[in-house]
Amino acid sequence: MTTQTSQAPARGTRRRRSALPYVLVLPAVLLFVLFILAPGAYAVVLSLQRRKVSGGLLGTGSKVVWVGLDNYRQVLTDGELWSSALRMLEVGAITIPVTIGLALLFALLLDTARARFTRAARLLIFLPYAVPGVIATLLWGFMYLPATSPIGGDHIDYFGATGVYGSVANIAVWGAVGFNMVVIYTALRALPPEIYEAARMDGCSELQIALRIKVPLVLPAITMCTLFTVLASAQLFNEPNTLKPLSNAISSTWVPLMKVYTDAFVNSDIYSAAATSVVLAVAALAVSFVAARVVQARVAGGGR
């Protein structure tokens, strides 16, 4: 009798323990469904529809009709969208290598044996990441204006047709370097110090240790940061949209997300905007999948 009584609470405890992971994951699942999955599904539904005006020339009525893939054909043949995507790639060509290069450089410098005041330096480098993107863009925008610029606004056209690419990329880099530096620095600190001691005993300099030991071992972290930066570049919106009133070179469709915003909320064409959003989301997922496979291959290969 005592054995049966003791076994019953044990089974109840095992059930509660087995259910605990699902209870802990449930809030994240609900948030994912409510704010990502459901809006995404609604966008797909909208992308397959179109509002049709009826009533002849007077346009006395309208109704929503299913048009299948017509919106996608219109989006994929829209030259304005491809031009905005090209501008996004040009900004990304500046942002991605500069962001990862500076983040890696700062992380390596902070990880050297002679580094001093590393906590304060990490905080100062990370601080721009905590500044909201719109506020950061406004701050830099006033620094770019000739009337208020302390960085040569009278001699450099920061808002010209060519200079605006560097201006937008500079703001993106300024805000993203700190986060990526922390990720790479954390990976460096996780490496066993015995490796460095053995390398120094063999006569390696700090530069050789950084390039031949540290960088290969933290390559998965660098690859992950590159993925984050690529996805952030694909979502470029705040910087050019905030700078648009200050620059004639930035149109309302300068990058793809600005075109989505203009189509949906200025031109009231939510169906084309939804199709464009779905295309951009699929492209971002494809990039994420390829990058994730690269990271897995690097981790499985020991960072080689």
Side-chain angles (χ1 to χ4, degrees):
M1 186 70 178
T2 304
T3 304
Q4 293 178 352
T5 304
S6 61
Q7 288 178 351
R11 286 195 294 268
T13 302
R14 285 196 296 269
R15 291 195 190 97
R16 286 194 296 270
R17 289 179 178 176
S18 62
L20 181 60
Y22 298 99
V23 174
L24 295 176
V25 171
L26 183 61
V29 173
L30 291 177
L31 291 174
F32 177 80
V33 171
L34 289 175
F35 295 102
I36 296 180
L37 192 60
Y42 184 57
V44 171
V45 173
L46 288 177
S47 68
L48 302 174
Q49 297 176 337
R50 169 68 62 182
R51 182 169 296 279
K52 182 179 180 181
V53 179
S54 59
L57 296 176
L58 297 178
T60 56
S62 64
K63 62 179 180 178
V64 176
V65 297
W66 292 91
V67 295
L69 299 178
D70 286 351
N71 288 330
Y72 290 99
R73 282 191 285 267
Q74 178 181 346
V75 166
L76 294 176
T77 57
D78 187 354
E80 194 173 22
L81 176 63
W82 289 106
S83 298
S84 65
L86 180 61
R87 287 188 286 267
M88 179 189 69
L89 292 175
E90 290 177 351
V91 175
I94 304 172
T95 303
I96 297 169
V98 174
T99 299
I100 301 303
L102 288 177
L104 178 60
L105 176 63
F106 290 147
L108 291 173
L109 290 175
L110 291 173
D111 193 54
T112 57
R114 298 181 180 179
R116 297 292 182 269
F117 308 107
T118 55
R119 292 186 178 180
R122 289 202 308 268
L123 178 61
L124 290 175
I125 297 172
F126 181 79
L127 192 59
Y129 178 75
V131 179
V134 174
I135 296 176
T137 305
L138 287 174
L139 291 174
W140 278 101
F142 284 112
M143 294 181 70
Y144 293 149
L145 285 174
T148 57
S149 175
I151 53 175
D154 294 331
H155 309 288
I156 302 175
D157 188 4
Y158 292 104
F159 293 132
T162 303
V164 71
Y165 290 93
S167 300
V168 173
N170 173 66
I171 301 171
V173 170
W174 184 78
V177 166
F179 173 81
N180 292 282
M181 179 274 297
V182 169
V183 173
I184 298 174
Y185 179 76
T186 303
L188 287 170
R189 300 299 294 175
L191 298 177
E194 293 81 6
I195 300 177
Y196 309 144
E197 295 175 3
R200 292 188 183 99
M201 291 178 64
D202 289 338
C204 291
S205 64
E206 291 298 326
L207 181 60
Q208 290 174 327
I209 292 174
L211 297 179
R212 299 182 181 181
I213 297 177
K214 292 182 178 181
V215 173
L217 290 178
V218 299
L219 196 56
I222 297 173
T223 307
M224 183 176 64
C225 290
T226 303
L227 169 61
F228 291 157
T229 310
V230 169
L231 293 179
S233 299
Q235 300 174 36
L236 185 66
F237 177 78
N238 282 334
E239 293 84 355
N241 190 61
T242 306
L243 292 177
K244 184 166 69 71
L246 305 177
S247 173
N248 294 327
I250 300 178
S251 64
S252 59
T253 59
W254 199 70
V255 290
L257 286 186
M258 290 180 66
K259 184 177 184 339
V260 171
Y261 179 87
T262 301
D263 288 343
F265 301 107
V266 178
N267 300 331
S268 299
D269 188 1
I270 60 173
Y271 307 102
S272 295
T276 306
S277 300
V278 172
V279 170
L280 295 176
V282 171
L285 287 174
V287 171
S288 302
F289 177 77
V290 173
R293 296 299 297 268
V294 171
V295 172
Q296 291 176 358
R298 292 293 185 182
V299 173
R304 293 189 299 270

